[in-house]
Amino acid sequence: GWHLLLGGLPLLAISFLTDGTNGEQYALLTAADWLRLSYVSVFGGAVGYGLFFFQAQRGSLTQLSSLTFLTPMFAVLGGYLVLSESLTAVQGLGAAVTVAAIYLINSPKETSS
């Protein structure tokens, strides 16, 4: 999680210095905007990474890392539900293959006796 903080602060400073408005865009953000940004930063970043590494110590890294492929699936689903975006047939097929692969990786393996 430290890399998020150590990488994010310089990017914030660079954004402030190079956006051409001397950081005036930050003054336009409401309290609700800052709350949303904080929520995404804390739960989408720090807590997510913390849970990932906690689980990494307890289980299979192969199974756990395969779940990272769900991130784009949730982004696509959110775009579809919230923004009324559409999928082409090839994109839908790609999503189905990705979800099927994640299922196969994480499904219980049968052992032969």
Side-chain angles (χ1 to χ4, degrees):
W2 283 106
H3 67 284
L4 294 172
L5 181 64
L6 296 175
L9 291 177
L11 289 174
L12 181 64
I14 291 168
S15 166
F16 185 83
L17 296 172
T18 62
D19 74 343
T21 66
N22 294 322
E24 292 174 9
Q25 81 274 14
Y26 298 113
L28 299 175
L29 296 175
T30 66
D33 295 331
W34 284 108
L35 185 63
R36 289 180 188 110
L37 284 169
S38 298
Y39 175 82
V40 168
S41 298
V42 172
F43 288 100
V47 172
Y49 275 102
L51 290 173
F52 180 85
F53 287 112
F54 174 75
Q55 277 300 110
Q57 293 175 342
R58 303 178 69 216
S60 166
L61 288 178
T62 302
Q63 289 179 330
L64 184 61
S65 64
S66 72
L67 296 177
T68 61
F69 292 107
L70 287 176
T71 302
M73 298 297 107
F74 284 114
V76 168
L77 182 63
Y80 177 78
L81 295 174
V82 176
L83 302 174
S84 300
E85 293 181 351
S86 60
L87 285 176
T88 66
V90 172
Q91 291 169 325
L93 179 63
V97 168
T98 301
V99 171
I102 293 168
Y103 172 77
L104 290 173
I105 290 170
N106 289 292
S107 62
K109 308 293 185 266
E110 291 185 29
T111 57
S112 58
S113 309

